[in-house]
Amino acid sequence: MTIQWFPGHMTRARRQIQDKLKLIDIVIELLDARVPISSRNPMIDEILRDKPRLIVLNKSDLADSRTTEQWIAAFAEQGHACIAVDSSTGTRVNEIPVRARAILHAMIERQIAKGIKPRAVRGLIVGIPNVGKSTLINRLAGRNIAATGDRPGVTKGQQWIKVGTEMELLDTPGILWPKFEDQIVGYRLAMTGAIREQVLNVEDIAFFAVKVLVKRYWPTIAERFGVETPPKDIEDADEIVRVMEDIGRKRGCLISGGRVDLEKTSGIILRELRAGKLGRISLEGPDDL
């Protein structure tokens, strides 16, 4: 299955970001800590060019902490400052303005040397849909300003938002890129809910999810769903379907003739994965680069 989703408002958002860049001091690039590669828009480097950048790994409470530390080290090797946060609980969110000002230290010092009182840092938050931009902004601002939702595409426009007296943030709609060159990226984004389910085949996404989870976190799957027999070969499609059917039986997803309702089973698997009920799971690591 080919996964594509590029609504018209995303084209407009890209154009709006490019128009606002001259007003921006630093870019805060928000990624999903579970899928930092897949949630990183390859168009962003082209759009932002050489703007100073802080990479923020959001939803770190849902990701494997050891893998997240590996990602922070990997980005540091690439010359990017990186911090892991959880915007839903506020964990380490308040460190973002501090880290941003540290990155801009030289610029601020030049202003002081010229006798200019440093103004509030102007930051631009960018990221794909459903990565948690609006939730993060509301945490930073200390009030509900940006619209939030558990589905992609909630933010449609741009707005400046004050964060205390030392930072102003420009929120932007999430931007996906027009074509997934690597379909695995599309599947990973679908697993985490970054793409609307209306454009997906839920069973295909769940099949891919089970294959990944069996490979990386079999004990977790076995415990959560009560599945006792791992697949003999994770590359064998029939074996992955057999695991899905085992999960369906354990959850009572049966239809006439005692057959498993794979669509209903798939929905359960994806909902529990996205809600963190399977534990802290990372779907890709730096070695996947």
Side-chain angles (χ1 to χ4, degrees):
M1 178 182 66
T2 300
I3 302 173
Q4 304 298 344
W5 186 52
F6 199 67
H9 79 267
M10 292 187 182
T11 303
R12 293 193 299 275
R14 173 176 177 167
R15 199 162 50 241
Q16 290 167 355
I17 288 174
Q18 291 171 321
D19 291 342
K20 292 291 195 300
L21 272 182
K22 59 182 178 293
L23 305 175
I24 300 300
D25 300 316
I26 189 169
V27 173
I28 297 172
E29 183 181 7
L30 201 58
L31 307 179
D32 188 321
R34 297 166 295 178
V35 285
I37 302 173
S38 298
S39 61
R40 196 173 199 199
N41 189 332
M43 295 194 310
I44 290 298
D45 287 337
E46 174 192 341
I47 296 170
L48 302 180
R49 301 192 181 104
D50 297 325
K51 281 288 180 181
R53 192 180 313 187
L54 172 62
I55 293 177
V56 176
L57 301 179
N58 195 27
K59 304 187 180 183
S60 61
D61 61 316
L62 299 176
D64 187 319
S65 58
R66 290 173 296 180
T67 304
T68 298
E69 289 301 319
Q70 292 170 2
W71 275 114
I72 292 173
F75 283 123
E77 289 179 3
Q78 297 174 14
H80 295 301
C82 180
I83 182 174
V85 308
D86 173 22
S87 59
S88 63
T89 62
T91 302
R92 301 192 70 186
V93 165
N94 289 337
E95 295 181 34
I96 292 175
V98 177
R99 295 290 294 273
R101 291 187 71 84
I103 293 171
L104 297 172
H105 177 74
M107 181 196 80
I108 295 172
E109 287 299 309
R110 284 195 300 271
Q111 291 175 345
I112 294 174
K114 293 178 181 179
I116 302 172
K117 181 180 179 180
R119 57 168 171 73
V121 167
R122 290 174 179 165
L124 172 71
I125 291 190
V126 297
I128 67 170
N130 208 33
V131 78
K133 295 186 305 303
S134 296
T135 302
L136 177 63
I137 285 175
N138 289 338
R139 280 284 177 185
L140 286 168
R143 57 196 188 280
N144 292 331
I145 294 177
T148 62
D150 60 356
R151 66 191 189 280
V154 173
T155 303
K156 292 295 193 296
Q158 294 180 319
Q159 56 181 328
W160 284 100
I161 297 166
K162 288 188 175 182
V163 178
T165 59
E166 296 190 339
M167 177 174 265
E168 295 177 350
L169 292 176
L170 180 62
D171 186 18
T172 62
I175 309 176
L176 282 175
W177 48 109
K179 181 180 180 182
F180 296 124
E181 298 295 342
D182 183 351
Q183 289 299 308
I184 290 178
V185 169
Y187 277 104
R188 286 174 179 159
L189 292 178
M191 287 168 62
T192 60
I195 301 174
R196 292 181 185 274
E197 287 197 355
Q198 291 91 327
V199 301
L200 307 174
N201 181 311
V202 175
E203 291 181 33
D204 282 349
I205 302 303
F207 176 92
F208 181 84
V210 169
K211 184 175 179 179
V212 171
L213 294 171
V214 163
K215 179 179 180 180
R216 300 177 75 99
Y217 297 99
W218 168 252
T220 299
I221 294 295
E223 180 179 356
R224 178 67 187 178
F225 295 113
V227 180
E228 299 175 357
T229 308
K232 297 175 183 177
D233 179 3
I234 64 169
E235 299 302 327
D236 185 336
D238 291 338
E239 282 288 286
I240 300 301
V241 171
R242 192 263 303 163
V243 172
M244 293 176 67
E245 290 176 340
D246 288 348
I247 293 172
R249 291 190 188 93
K250 291 289 185 178
R251 292 302 180 89
C253 301
L254 301 176
I255 53 180
S256 60
R259 292 177 296 122
V260 173
D261 185 336
L262 281 178
E263 182 176 0
K264 184 176 180 180
T265 302
S266 296
I268 290 173
I269 293 169
L270 294 176
R271 282 194 300 273
E272 298 203 2
L273 168 64
R274 293 166 184 167
K277 293 183 179 180
L278 304 185
R280 300 181 64 155
I281 287 174
S282 293
L283 303 175
E284 58 191 14
D287 53 344
D288 290 314
L289 285 171

